């Protein structure tokens, strides 16, 4: 049984930084991708970033490219999202998720391809 637990979300001033963590348990295989998504009230769930667990390949939404960095620690089954230069529009609940056997080894931007989800952590950026 795969379980994902996010942490690190809090209230922060615009221009500040946060580091979100996702602890994974119950993982059996290494052929998967880890993704970060976010959802603000009244809005659709939005792709943020993803990384191939075996290493190398990363993808970012245009809205966060250059500000956010996704990384993983496959020894300790952790994935991180370093968020810099935060803006009020980054305010959302952030979720980590796993995609099993990503197509052609490329992490998907489609939330429907992710089958396991954490409970989310709230990030609020004040202006």
């Amino acid at each position: 049984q795969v379980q994902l637990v996010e942490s690190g979300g809090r209230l922060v001033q615009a221009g500040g930084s946060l580091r979100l963590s996702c602890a994974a348990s119950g993982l059996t295989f290494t052929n998967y991708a880890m993704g970060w998504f976010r959802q603000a009230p009244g809005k659709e769930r939005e792709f943020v970033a993803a990384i191939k667990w075996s290493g190398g390949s990363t993808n970012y939404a245009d809205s966060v490219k250059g500000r956010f960095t996704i990384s993983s620690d496959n020894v300790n089954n952790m994935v991180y999202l370093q968020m810099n230069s935060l803006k009020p529009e980054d305010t959302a609940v952030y979720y980590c998720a796993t995609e099993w056997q990503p197509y052609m080894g490329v992490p998907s931007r489609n939330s429907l391809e992710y089958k396991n989800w954490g409970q989310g952590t709230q990030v609020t950026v004040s202006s």
Side-chain angles (χ1 to χ4, degrees):
Q1 188 73 33
V2 176
Q3 292 186 330
L4 305 172
V5 180
E6 303 96 333
S7 62
R10 63 178 177 89
L11 174 66
V12 64
Q13 294 284 338
S17 297
L18 283 176
R19 187 195 192 199
L20 304 183
S21 299
C22 177
S25 63
L27 298 175
T28 303
F29 306 103
T30 59
N31 185 23
Y32 61 91
M34 298 292 294
W36 285 98
F37 296 80
R38 65 187 183 186
Q39 187 167 23
K43 295 186 177 181
E44 294 182 349
R45 186 165 46 191
E46 178 187 25
F47 170 79
V48 177
I51 186 170
K52 187 177 180 180
W53 190 251
S54 60
S57 181
T58 58
N59 291 304
Y60 295 94
D62 289 341
S63 60
V64 306
K65 191 174 298 182
R67 298 188 297 122
F68 292 9
T69 302
I70 188 171
S71 62
S72 63
D73 177 356
N74 57 7
V75 173
N76 295 299
N77 294 326
M78 297 287 294
V79 63
Y80 305 97
L81 185 68
Q82 178 66 44
M83 306 186 296
N84 299 325
S85 301
L86 283 163
K87 306 174 181 179
E89 50 263 45
D90 295 319
T91 296
V93 177
Y94 284 72
Y95 301 90
C96 66
T98 58
E99 177 194 13
W100 296 99
Q101 295 185 313
Y103 183 69
M104 300 295 290
V106 179
S108 176
R109 295 170 178 253
N110 185 353
S111 64
L112 296 178
E113 299 297 324
Y114 290 78
K115 304 304 180 183
N116 300 101
W117 294 82
Q119 84 289 347
T121 185
Q122 176 71 48
V123 174
T124 302
V125 184
S126 61
S127 59

